[in-house]
Amino acid sequence: MSIIDQLAHIEQDALSTLPTISSVEALAEWKSSYLGKQGAIAKLSRELGTLPADQRPAAGQRFNAVRGTLESALSERETVINSAAQNDAFTREAVDVTLPGRPTVVGRLHPSTRVLRMIDGIFAEMGFQVWESPEVETDTLNFELLNIPADHPARDMWDTFYIDTPAGAEKVLLRTHTSPGQIHAMRAHAPNPVRVILPGKCYRYEQVTTRHEMMFHQVEGIAVGQNITFSDLKGTLIGFAERLYGSGTKTRFRPSYFPFTEPSVELDVECFLCKGDGCRVCKHTGWLEISGAGMVHPDVLRNGGYDPAIHSGFAFGMGPERITMLRHGIDDIRWFFSGDERFLEQFV
Amino acid sequence: MRIPLSWLRDYVDVTLPADELAERLTRSGLEVDAVEKLGVADSELPWDPTLVLVCNILEVTQHPNADRLVLAEVEYGPGLVHTVVTGAPNLYQYKGLGRLNHPLKSVFAKEGAVLYDGHVEGKVKVKLKGKPVRGVMSDAMLCSEKELGISEEHEGIMILPDDAPTGTPLVDYLGDVVIDIDVLPNMARTLSMVGMAREIAALTGQTVRLPDPQVTPSGADINSIAKVTIEATALCPRFTATMVKNVTIKPSPFWMQRRLTMAGMRPINNIVDISNYVMLELGTPNHTFDADCVANNHIVVRTAKTGEQLTTLDGRTHQLNDGHLLVCDTAQALSVAGVMGGESSEVSERTRNVLVEAAVWEPTIIRRMSTAFKLRSEASKRFERGVDPEMLDLSQRRLTQLLSDYADGHVVTGMIDVRSQPKREVVIALSTHEVKRILGLTFTRDQVAELLAPLGFVCTPHDVDTLHVAVPSYRGDVSHTADLCEEVARMYGYDNLPSTIMADELPVQRTNLTREREHFTRDILTGAGLNEAITYSLTSREAAAKLDPAELEADHYLRLANPLSPEREFMRRSILPTLLESANVNIRERGVTRLFEIGRVYHPRPDAILPNEPLRAAVVLAGPRVPASWQSSTPESMDFFDVKGAIECLVERLRIADVTYAPSTVPYLQPGRAADVMVRHGKELVTIGHFGELHPDARERFGLPAVRIGVAELDLHTMLELASVPRYQSISRYPATTQDLAMIAPVSVSAEQIEKSIRKYSGNALSNVEIFDVYTGAQVGEGMRSIAYRITLRASDRTLSDDEVSKIRAKIIRGVEFDTGAKIRS
């Protein structure tokens, strides 16, 4: 058999065994047995010298061609085998995607904190700054300076925890509302304009039920200047309601009574659960009460250091727990201060 | 305040359906709590006008086959007669009397009528169906109050008054709607039917009809028989008295009882009911004395003498002092003025002559007395809110007329009228400019007058844009221009006023840095995996003593004078007791807790009446570090170092410099697993908190399970003051090299001491030091410990050479040994 014939034989042999190879190891073996330095082609090529000189160039070309063919066949086969090996690995490493992920440990903010932040944020955009004032107050600040003298029937509106103080000393109490903050804020600013909100805890001497807590948060707001009207109060509270409950939220302003505002108003928003048709949550009225407000009473303006003939302003108050309860459908306020993580972890 | 519309209609035409009226009232500041409907078409149990009728019971006979049943022959219209089987015990007495001379009026229901089942608990509707009862066909019935939904009464059938019109649908006779209104303290004027009628008239464009009682008096003028002296002139602006003789005590007429019941008051007898009726009608509480028990017919209004006593109608005896106001005769106290009558002059079965008091009192004295004596009555409620002094004349006429008509009394001529203060005349100048300044909308002078007039304000133009507004006597709540602006707004409609954006100068804006950092702290702690709790600021010393038994006797607490319960009697000085109580619930329910709370604590100050309210942050951690999962079913439990991790995270992110930790001896932490947190504040080193694992004794006192409970409480106020803005550190472009050094030292040498020393000797090239292994055991010997540090070195301007690195390493080893005695582990 001539060298060329032998070469053709090797080529045919190599190409016919290649498709049966399926592992990287066998492929390496194939490569060394045909294309390696000690491989069949290399061995045969050593016999080229035995050919007559005129046949050598053609035979050399033939050798290169076969090498080329086998190398490209090898590379093709390599791709096939690698991809099969990768697919095998993928199959081996596949997971059940429905198994739960690794738990991350993330803490949550108290739902009241969330709502307080929303309220802070909305009023900040309207130019109200956040202020704070004491939770333990004097009777004077909590009541007297807010136009609620002793023995006034309006005192029934606030059941009060008093601090045990020596007889004859000034009465000290747990603030029943954030409204004493109005006086603090006005006195710090008068006669310059003031525009602040005052969030914080309040306390009421009240049996704890699903609807009433002895401790709760309130956010007070006050704006006093030389050109502030009841219409501004409406605009501000409507702006707040629309940002909290979405634009186009229907509102209703009802005359009300607070000793420290005149005129006084109660703001209702359309019940977002029944869209005003009436349901259990809105006690079948179609409306939810969200804020009490009014124009600061002339006596209170005076107590805050302003001249009611020149200055005017409005004040409002709202309860974040109530807003939170409505927002999340919570039917029992007692969970708020329980520290029970089965409750706390239900919120973002 | 309960307003039966049937009663209200005496004084004003009600032109709106009940529900619309309720909505109108709510929008005008009279918040309607409920609209109760009785028998009318849209009520819970409508009385069918064709099936439920007023009837006459003509005769009652024994049921032939049952001892406890009777047959009643009933007439429910001209010539309409029916026999009804009933077991009503209140008919037994008429059995076998034949045709009744005086037929009884009752309520007849025909087959098909829907009523409540009288024999079952609650309100269950049933439709009346004919069926034989012991052989006699029963297809109609006589109704009890329960079956009609009027009351719970089911002892017998309802008996109507003799003048009830036979054959009339019951709904026309007794059907009613009651509007229940939550009257705010400034709305005293609406605490009566007439007052409510005035308000409704103004809101709906109607006119009010005041009652005009006609009385025929006789005999000598009362002023010649009796006398009134007001000694306490400041407390009693006006006192009037009349007298009615030869009264008969008996039940009041059915219609009056019905109205009182619907308005929420219980009928007693004619005298008491008339008194209450006039109070509800005109808003003027009044009092009736047995005139024969008033010594010398001389009434004296005075403050009590200290030591004086009075037994009130409820049988309680009160000790009096000069802060109490009395109505007396010349011998003794007769009543607590405006609050409650006394026993000695009470109207009784034997009373013949009645002295009628109608007066007004200074509101605060009434409030003080009703609070002190715990006597909150319908009368005191009205007096403490303010009663119209000019309504007394009409009230007296009404009282005497009703006593004449329904107690058969003879009215004595005249009325004693003592005014100790002049009639209150309030006129307020109101300019359109002021209305605009407060409400933000321009009204003309005449528009303002038109809005105010229906409410009874008499407006007189003063100049081109000013009105003089005369306030009616029943509007004691109006004294400022602001009050008038409210009335203008109310009548115009709050919802009709514009909504505007404040055009006033925007005050200077300042950031509340503390508040922002407080919120940032919450974000840091939630980021560290903790849930935010808010617990009560109110606690008990017992709860605080669980943390530290010394607290049980401590007097450094703010204490409530009127706690709701002993568990909530003291203002907390620490967040931990209440937070641990919450943690306990969580550990028991879920085996894990990761809580923090940020809030105030309350520290009384000896030199001030108000306490300090420092801001604290507290942490409680217990249970598995990560939730158990299918990958890791038994995660490790949290301990000291988890709490420390949270604190370090806080310190690092708030950028508080120079924080150090040292072993702590606070009593509630387990010794050896307790640390103080200290920080340089100015020139001082101050402790800003403690953390560690809860002492087993404290744990037991809280009833917590025997697991490690990590706790911390920090002075957040100080921490937030020390917080700073991060300074950028340039990042080197040159490679870092790490050196591992294991140092052996006695366990008494702290990790911090060694690290400090490493930092000192590393020079500028030091980028980071961290501990990657801590070992105690046989290989290092008793009492010794090996701590392995990984030190990262990097220069900002070059790659460090091997030579430089080994020089630094050698320097560190020498230095650490020199400072701490720690030796390199070979």
Side-chain angles (χ1 to χ4, degrees):
Chain A
M1 221 177 354
S2 73
I3 289 176
I4 297 303
D5 287 345
Q6 284 181 54
L7 183 63
H9 187 78
I10 291 168
E11 182 184 15
Q12 197 190 359
D13 192 41
L15 288 177
S16 68
T17 54
L18 189 60
T20 66
I21 289 171
S22 59
S23 75
V24 176
E25 298 75 26
L27 193 67
E29 211 171 286
W30 180 91
K31 188 183 174 183
S32 78
S33 68
Y34 294 104
L35 294 168
K37 280 180 186 159
Q38 299 303 322
I41 295 175
K43 275 186 190 158
L44 190 63
S45 70
R46 283 179 209 126
E47 291 173 29
L48 275 174
T50 62
L51 289 179
D54 61 332
Q55 287 177 21
R56 282 186 211 152
Q61 277 174 14
R62 181 73 193 121
F63 263 82
N64 285 340
V66 170
R67 244 185 242 280
T69 305
L70 293 191
E71 268 165 8
S72 80
L74 169 70
S75 137
E76 238 173 73
R77 189 65 201 156
E78 209 169 12
T79 309
V80 170
I81 289 171
N82 280 344
S83 134
Q86 199 178 35
N87 283 336
D88 285 352
F90 288 168
T91 308
R92 277 195 314 276
E93 292 173 14
V95 296
D96 176 355
V97 296
T98 66
L99 277 171
R102 263 187 202 91
T104 49
V105 181
V106 178
R108 329 253 176 157
L109 288 174
H110 192 281
S112 294
T113 300
R114 281 263 173 228
V115 169
L116 278 165
R117 284 188 181 184
M118 286 169 70
I119 296 171
D120 281 11
I122 292 169
F123 283 109
E125 287 174 24
M126 297 194 227
F128 288 80
Q129 293 171 43
V130 181
W131 250 63
E132 283 162 288
S133 74
E135 290 173 26
V136 184
E137 273 290 7
T138 58
D139 187 86
T140 310
L141 270 149
N142 195 73
F143 289 125
E144 303 266 343
L145 294 174
L146 292 169
N147 217 13
I148 316 163
D151 301 314
H152 191 281
R155 287 232 175 176
D156 288 347
M157 294 164 79
W158 300 275
D159 291 314
T160 311
F161 282 119
Y162 285 94
I163 298 294
D164 192 15
T165 44
E170 186 173 3
K171 273 192 180 173
V172 177
L173 46 77
L174 302 188
R175 67 175 173 191
T176 56
H177 45 190
T178 39
S179 306
Q182 290 185 20
I183 303 284
H184 289 292
M186 284 193 286
R187 288 184 171 175
H189 289 82
N192 297 315
V194 58
R195 207 177 289 186
V196 298
I197 58 168
L198 295 127
K201 282 179 190 149
C202 303
Y203 304 84
R204 298 260 171 99
Y205 180 83
E206 199 158 3
Q207 289 300 332
V208 177
T209 66
T210 56
R211 296 258 147 219
H212 297 105
E213 254 297 357
M214 63 166 101
M215 180 176 97
F216 55 93
H217 289 88
Q218 222 177 48
V219 179
E220 192 83 6
I222 184 167
V224 176
Q226 298 203 9
N227 180 27
I228 292 178
T229 70
F230 188 84
S231 300
D232 294 333
L233 165 61
K234 280 189 67 179
T236 303
L237 288 183
I238 288 174
F240 169 76
E242 293 205 335
R243 286 188 213 197
L244 193 66
Y245 294 111
S247 68
T249 296
K250 274 196 207 153
T251 54
R252 174 172 91 165
F253 287 84
R254 278 186 293 116
S256 189
Y257 171 68
F258 306 102
F260 37 95
T261 52
E262 188 79 28
S264 298
V265 56
E266 200 82 55
L267 170 64
D268 298 341
V269 296
E270 187 179 70
C271 178
F272 46 80
L273 290 170
C274 63
K275 299 275 170 271
D277 292 340
C279 64
R280 201 175 56 84
V281 171
C282 62
K283 291 193 208 148
H284 304 283
T285 61
W287 296 98
L288 298 168
E289 212 173 282
I290 63 160
S291 174
M295 297 301 289
V296 181
H297 194 285
D299 293 347
V300 177
L301 280 175
R302 219 173 277 122
N303 292 337
Y306 292 97
D307 178 357
I310 302 168
H311 296 101
S312 59
F314 62 76
F316 56 83
M318 57 185 72
E321 274 81 27
R322 178 168 163 75
I323 293 173
T324 310
M325 289 174 83
L326 292 170
R327 190 181 171 79
H328 298 292
I330 302 164
D331 60 4
D332 190 341
I333 196 173
R334 291 173 296 189
W335 289 113
F336 279 80
F337 308 120
S338 66
D340 193 316
E341 288 169 286
R342 291 170 300 174
F343 173 74
L344 299 172
E345 288 190 352
Q346 291 187 31
F347 307 98
V348 296
Chain B
M1 176 77 190
R2 292 170 56 84
I3 310 290
L5 292 189
S6 61
W7 191 354
L8 183 73
R9 286 200 180 90
D10 283 5
Y11 319 103
V12 67
D13 292 336
V14 177
T15 53
L16 298 173
D19 294 317
E20 266 177 58
L21 178 65
E23 167 76 12
R24 188 83 182 81
L25 289 172
T26 295
R27 287 196 180 237
S28 309
L30 288 157
E31 198 180 336
V32 173
D33 256 2
V35 178
E36 292 170 19
K37 294 168 181 173
L38 183 66
V40 297
D42 52 350
S43 64
E44 262 181 69
L45 184 78
W47 301 329
D48 189 319
T50 63
L51 300 175
V52 183
L53 308 164
V54 175
C55 74
N56 246 338
I57 301 174
L58 304 174
E59 188 171 346
V60 180
T61 52
Q62 180 64 50
H63 188 288
N65 307 319
D67 286 351
R68 304 180 73 172
L69 295 175
V70 294
L71 305 178
E73 193 180 339
V74 163
E75 179 195 28
Y76 61 93
L80 299 170
V81 177
H82 200 91
T83 299
V84 180
V85 181
T86 173
N90 58 344
L91 286 188
Y92 292 172
Q93 54 181 305
Y94 302 101
K95 222 162 39 179
L97 295 181
R99 277 291 180 211
L100 297 177
N101 295 331
H102 193 85
L104 292 166
K105 296 280 172 145
S106 186
V107 180
F108 173 72
K110 289 206 271 191
E111 181 161 20
V114 176
L115 300 167
Y116 289 134
D117 189 336
H119 300 284
V120 300
E121 194 70 15
K123 293 177 169 180
V124 181
K125 283 183 186 178
V126 284
K127 194 171 188 172
L128 192 54
K129 265 193 302 217
K131 59 171 189 277
V133 176
R134 299 284 188 104
V136 179
M137 186 60 186
S138 172
D139 59 356
M141 65 191 272
L142 291 165
C143 308
S144 69
E145 293 195 2
K146 177 168 181 178
E147 285 158 339
L148 293 165
I150 293 175
S151 74
E152 284 300 301
E153 183 59 51
H154 190 58
E155 270 304 289
I157 57 164
M158 192 175 180
I159 303 295
L160 297 176
D162 294 344
D163 61 358
T166 303
T168 302
L170 185 69
V171 61
D172 294 345
Y173 183 59
L174 285 186
D176 209 345
V177 175
V178 179
I179 296 186
D180 193 357
I181 293 170
D182 184 12
V183 176
L184 296 167
N186 68 331
M187 288 286 213
R189 64 182 187 278
T190 60
L191 287 171
S192 69
M193 299 304 148
V194 161
M196 201 60 82
R198 279 198 193 110
E199 199 72 17
I200 290 169
L203 295 173
T204 59
Q206 302 295 312
T207 43
V208 178
R209 295 181 293 271
L210 288 180
D212 185 16
Q214 300 303 319
V215 193
T216 318
S218 60
D221 191 283
I222 185 173
N223 285 286
S224 65
I225 308 169
K227 195 176 169 191
V228 171
T229 308
I230 303 178
E231 289 179 2
T233 53
L235 303 176
C236 177
R238 192 181 178 196
F239 192 109
T240 67
T242 55
M243 196 181 279
V244 181
K245 293 196 155 181
N246 295 319
V247 294
T248 309
I249 313 289
K250 58 183 179 183
S252 59
F254 178 81
W255 64 265
M256 186 182 282
Q257 293 192 21
R258 186 85 205 118
R259 284 185 168 186
L260 290 173
T261 307
M262 296 297 277
M265 294 196 85
R266 200 162 51 90
I268 311 284
N269 62 35
N270 54 353
I271 311 293
V272 176
D273 292 357
I274 287 167
S275 171
N276 284 334
Y277 186 84
V278 173
M279 173 178 71
L280 291 178
E281 183 182 47
L282 301 174
T284 48
N286 52 81
H287 189 64
T288 50
F289 297 95
D290 184 329
D292 299 316
C293 300
V294 178
N296 303 318
N297 280 338
H298 187 174
I299 295 282
V300 181
V301 176
R302 60 166 171 84
T303 49
K305 296 166 191 139
T306 302
E308 205 170 352
Q309 290 189 348
L310 175 66
T311 304
T312 44
L313 292 176
D314 54 5
R316 289 196 292 156
T317 301
H318 304 280
Q319 299 298 327
L320 306 171
N321 61 47
D322 61 2
H324 301 136
L325 185 64
L326 301 174
V327 177
C328 310
D329 58 19
T330 51
Q332 60 171 342
L334 300 179
S335 73
V336 179
V339 177
M340 192 176 265
E343 232 173 35
S344 67
S345 57
E346 184 181 3
V347 171
S348 69
E349 294 299 319
R350 296 181 305 280
T351 299
R352 302 286 298 133
N353 305 312
V354 175
L355 185 77
V356 185
E357 164 202 311
V360 286
W361 311 100
E362 205 279 309
T364 57
I365 182 85
I366 301 297
R367 166 115 185 149
R368 270 208 291 277
M369 292 194 296
S370 64
T371 309
F373 297 144
K374 296 191 167 61
L375 287 174
R376 284 290 169 87
S377 62
E378 288 292 320
S380 69
K381 183 165 103 187
R382 285 169 176 78
F383 281 130
E384 69 184 34
R385 285 165 173 73
V387 164
D388 176 10
E390 305 314 315
M391 190 51 100
L392 300 188
D393 308 76
L394 179 57
S395 300
Q396 284 288 11
R397 261 205 293 148
R398 186 61 159 155
L399 286 158
T400 50
Q401 174 249 322
L402 291 171
L403 288 167
S404 160
D405 290 357
Y406 299 103
D408 314 324
H410 302 300
V411 179
V412 173
T413 308
M415 175 176 92
I416 298 174
D417 185 0
V418 183
R419 280 184 192 264
S420 62
Q421 291 168 21
K423 196 168 161 180
R424 183 175 180 261
E425 307 272 5
V426 178
V427 177
I428 301 168
L430 181 66
S431 70
T432 54
H433 166 77
E434 182 64 7
V435 175
K436 160 91 169 136
R437 188 175 77 94
I438 299 300
L439 299 182
L441 182 63
T442 305
F443 291 91
T444 66
R445 187 195 65 185
D446 296 345
Q447 271 179 311
V448 172
E450 275 166 34
L451 289 166
L452 291 176
L455 291 166
F457 294 95
V458 179
C459 301
T460 317
H462 177 68
D463 61 36
V464 68
D465 61 12
T466 307
L467 291 169
H468 279 183
V469 181
V471 177
S473 60
Y474 51 84
R475 292 304 304 265
D477 59 308
V478 174
S479 53
H480 288 90
T481 52
D483 303 322
L484 290 175
C485 288
E486 176 169 81
E487 295 306 288
V488 169
R490 216 161 60 83
M491 294 305 282
Y492 185 75
Y494 277 20
D495 284 323
N496 298 326
L497 286 168
S499 304
T500 50
I501 301 298
M502 277 185 279
D504 197 50
E505 174 195 345
L506 184 67
V508 182
Q509 302 283 297
R510 290 188 189 82
T511 305
N512 186 336
L513 203 58
T514 314
R515 173 93 176 167
E516 282 186 6
R517 284 177 173 166
E518 184 189 322
H519 275 305
F520 179 45
T521 305
R522 289 191 172 88
D523 291 335
I524 295 170
L525 291 173
T526 53
L530 304 175
N531 290 317
E532 187 191 9
I534 301 175
T535 62
Y536 286 117
S537 316
L538 292 159
T539 184
S540 64
R541 280 194 297 207
E542 286 72 19
K546 290 178 187 171
L547 208 56
D548 179 358
E551 295 300 309
L552 199 57
E553 301 298 329
D555 62 356
H556 55 182
Y557 283 91
L558 218 54
R559 181 183 200 151
L560 293 188
N562 58 335
L564 268 174
S565 69
E567 291 78 49
R568 308 271 172 242
E569 189 179 349
F570 294 86
M571 297 303 286
R572 67 182 181 191
R573 293 182 59 91
S574 159
I575 296 177
L576 282 178
T578 47
L579 198 60
L580 278 164
E581 282 167 5
S582 296
N584 200 359
V585 174
N586 292 309
I587 295 170
R588 292 188 180 281
E589 290 292 340
R590 312 161 17 120
V592 60
T593 193
R594 336 169 49 97
L595 287 176
F596 77 95
E597 176 169 357
I598 290 175
R600 301 183 188 181
V601 295
Y602 310 84
H603 294 172
R605 291 182 287 179
D607 53 342
I609 56 168
L610 296 181
N612 274 327
E613 299 182 13
L615 192 66
R616 292 273 182 90
V619 170
V620 177
L621 291 172
R625 187 164 302 131
V626 293
S629 70
W630 56 275
Q631 289 141 323
S632 161
S633 57
T634 50
E636 284 186 338
S637 289
M638 291 184 280
D639 62 15
F640 177 92
F641 291 105
D642 292 274
V643 191
K644 184 165 183 187
I647 291 169
E648 284 172 333
C649 178
L650 200 55
V651 165
E652 191 271 324
R653 293 196 64 193
L654 288 172
R655 291 293 191 278
I656 303 173
D658 295 331
V659 172
T660 51
Y661 305 94
S664 177
T665 55
V666 294
Y668 60 87
L669 296 175
Q670 177 174 330
R673 299 179 83 91
D676 294 333
V677 185
M678 284 166 310
V679 67
R680 195 157 292 286
H681 193 351
K683 285 185 174 162
E684 272 176 279
L685 193 63
V686 295
T687 302
I688 54 164
H690 315 282
F691 69 91
E693 290 174 15
L694 194 62
H695 195 292
D697 295 349
R699 195 173 63 200
E700 213 160 278
R701 288 191 293 265
F702 276 102
L704 285 155
V707 295
R708 294 189 187 280
I709 315 269
V711 297
E713 186 160 25
L714 302 165
D715 171 3
L716 190 59
H717 176 79
T718 304
M719 289 180 79
L720 298 185
E721 272 186 355
L722 295 172
S724 64
V725 176
R727 301 297 304 171
Y728 160 77
Q729 314 256 308
S730 69
I731 297 161
S732 172
R733 298 168 182 282
Y734 297 92
T737 176
T738 59
Q739 291 289 308
D740 290 352
L741 289 178
M743 306 300 296
I744 298 174
V747 288
S748 58
V749 177
S750 74
E752 191 188 35
Q753 282 173 284
I754 297 173
E755 183 177 328
K756 237 184 189 171
S757 189
I758 291 172
R759 288 182 181 278
K760 190 163 117 192
Y761 295 105
S762 302
N764 293 334
L766 184 71
S767 152
N768 192 31
V769 184
E770 61 193 46
I771 294 170
F772 67 92
D773 186 43
V774 177
Y775 174 78
T776 49
Q779 291 180 34
V780 293
E782 183 78 5
M784 303 297 280
R785 176 169 66 166
S786 158
I787 305 177
Y789 294 86
R790 177 153 299 154
I791 300 161
T792 307
L793 300 169
R794 190 202 303 265
S796 62
D797 54 354
R798 64 186 191 284
T799 304
L800 290 170
S801 69
D802 291 351
D803 191 36
E804 280 176 298
V805 171
S806 51
K807 274 183 183 153
I808 294 170
R809 181 185 166 95
K811 191 176 168 197
I812 292 172
I813 293 169
R814 269 198 316 275
V816 170
E817 181 169 1
F818 178 77
D819 286 355
T820 69
K823 289 192 167 60
I824 185 87
R825 187 176 175 189
S826 45

